[in-house]
Amino acid sequence: MKILIATEKPFSKQATDGMAAIAREAGLECALLEKYASVDVLKAAVADADALIVRSDKVTADVIGAAPKLRIVVRAGAGYDNLDLAACTARGIVAMNTPGQNSNAVAELAISMMIFMARNQFTPGTGHEISGKRLGIHAYGNVGRIVARYGRALGMEVSAYDPFVTDPAIFAGDGVRMASSAAELYANSDYVSLHIPTTAETKGSIGYELLMSMPQGATLVNTARKEVIDEAGLMRALDERTDLKYITDIAPDTAAELAEKFGKRFFATPKKMGAETAEANVNAGLAAVRQIVAFFKEGVTKFQVNR
Ligand code: NAD
């Protein structure tokens, strides 16, 4: 049984050594394809693979078509919009992510982004403190919960909204106010930290109206995905409200225009870096191999995303 680790942007050596060791111990073969030059190289490598581990690499119907033995694909990370789930399902291939493994890295980035914007992007001048400010967490999943905890530790008043987390006791237990809707959350938050997944429902769902409802001087922090933002609405809101700010880990299509028009009120990391820590890299890689071993040995499909 062969696991192919195919990463255009490689895991660390510590991660791949650990991954190979877990596979070996379970009696599975592990092959590594890094920095591959084209999809054709990936297609050739996947031809005899029973399992595939990727990072942000695109697993398209074309790639799946070139992998006749494939039974499981694991995205080492949280977001799995790079996997063609319909194509996996059509072939009976189990698709998984490794939720929670990079959450702390993303949460730390989200907090640092708030401080960066509050301090004029670390340029001279009087900034603000985030302590005492209202933090709204949009989606209370793995990342959102950690951001909430860190926000509280920094003295922020934390609220959260998640349509699928409806038990008030969960929020109360974390010392977090449960907002009744996204609209209510945005209207009452000096900072909103965005953690919604990209789905048909969330694509383009954050735009003009939500942004315009935010309090004076508010900042939207996006470590989720660019696709959830309605960029035309964002542009219009930043244009009309000279107090609003936007910082993102995923550069918008209109990044150049936003930077030129709005200066220090906008910032995008040069490359997505939320999960780019040595710790997250290792955690996600090891979890991916463990999930594959559990799937082959015991049929465990706990983290399947294409049910
Ligand atoms: P998660 O699956 O643990 O949590 C997602 C939460 O979103 C869940 O609680 C779910 O109930 C909620 N949700 C689903 N649909 C929603 C909707 N329509 N409105 C509001 N909430 C909704 O995921 P996570 O690990 O917290 O990660 C969140 C997102 O962050 C991922 O989907 C991914 O796109 C992004 N991410 C980015 C990086 C990065 O490098 N910047 C790294 C990891 C994750």
Side-chain angles (χ1 to χ4, degrees):
M1 211 81 89
K2 179 174 169 180
I3 304 175
L4 175 69
I5 302 170
T7 52
E8 208 173 341
K9 198 168 71 176
F11 283 108
S12 65
K13 170 127 179 26
Q14 190 193 347
T16 52
D17 285 352
M19 293 164 82
I22 295 170
R24 211 169 29 245
E25 206 168 295
L28 303 178
E29 190 193 333
C30 204
L32 200 55
L33 175 69
E34 296 182 327
K35 297 182 186 170
Y36 52 89
S38 71
V39 177
D40 286 338
V41 177
L42 172 61
K43 282 166 67 179
V46 89
D48 62 347
D50 303 279
L52 174 63
I53 295 174
V54 294
R55 298 185 74 201
S56 294
D57 311 71
K58 287 195 170 55
V59 181
T60 59
D62 188 29
V63 171
I64 287 165
K69 294 174 70 186
L70 199 62
R71 289 176 55 201
I72 177 167
V73 178
V74 182
R75 147 73 162 132
Y80 47 87
D81 40 345
N82 53 321
L83 308 184
D84 186 332
L85 295 186
C88 288
T89 305
R91 268 275 311 280
I93 295 167
V94 170
M96 293 185 185
N97 64 348
T98 60
Q101 301 297 334
N102 57 20
S103 309
N104 189 69
V106 182
E108 288 188 11
L109 184 73
I111 294 286
S112 70
M113 284 177 144
M114 286 177 221
I115 297 173
F116 182 64
M117 292 306 266
R119 293 298 182 96
N120 306 318
Q121 299 190 9
F122 298 162
T123 57
T126 304
H128 289 280
E129 295 172 25
I130 64 170
S131 184
K133 304 296 187 299
R134 295 165 294 178
L135 167 61
I137 308 284
H138 192 176
Y140 208 56
N142 285 298
V143 180
R145 284 169 205 219
I146 302 175
V147 176
R149 182 152 49 86
Y150 292 168
R152 274 175 46 80
L154 286 161
M156 303 184 88
E157 282 174 38
V158 183
S159 304
Y161 173 68
D162 188 316
F164 302 103
V165 183
T166 51
D167 179 0
I170 292 176
F171 297 100
D174 294 346
V176 169
R177 187 183 72 84
M178 182 177 173
S180 58
S181 65
E184 193 256 306
L185 185 79
Y186 282 67
N188 293 292
S189 299
D190 302 302
Y191 293 86
V192 168
S193 193
L194 202 43
H195 305 292
I196 56 176
T198 312
T199 63
E201 189 195 342
T202 62
K203 269 187 188 167
S205 64
I206 312 300
Y208 182 75
E209 279 178 18
L210 284 176
L211 282 156
M212 291 300 283
S213 76
M214 292 180 81
Q216 190 68 21
T219 301
L220 177 64
V221 178
N222 182 9
T223 55
R225 288 282 186 271
K226 73 171 179 181
E227 288 82 3
V228 301
I229 303 289
D230 164 13
E231 290 192 24
L234 169 72
M235 184 82 68
R236 192 171 148 216
L238 287 172
D239 215 14
E240 290 179 23
R241 284 268 309 270
T242 56
D243 59 298
L244 281 182
K245 297 174 191 167
Y246 179 59
I247 181 163
T248 179
D249 186 32
I250 312 91
D253 295 334
T254 49
E257 192 181 344
L258 286 163
E260 193 191 318
K261 274 178 121 166
F262 306 118
K264 293 269 177 297
R265 291 197 290 127
F266 167 76
F267 184 85
T269 52
K271 199 150 197 264
K272 184 155 77 74
M273 56 182 286
E276 288 305 321
T277 65
E279 294 85 348
N281 194 291
V282 172
N283 292 346
L286 298 187
V289 182
R290 287 196 185 106
Q291 288 173 210
I292 287 170
V293 170
F295 172 72
F296 282 134
K297 302 276 173 195
E298 297 157 52
V300 177
T301 56
K302 185 173 171 196
F303 298 112
Q304 185 170 356
V305 292
N306 64 332
R307 283 182 199 283

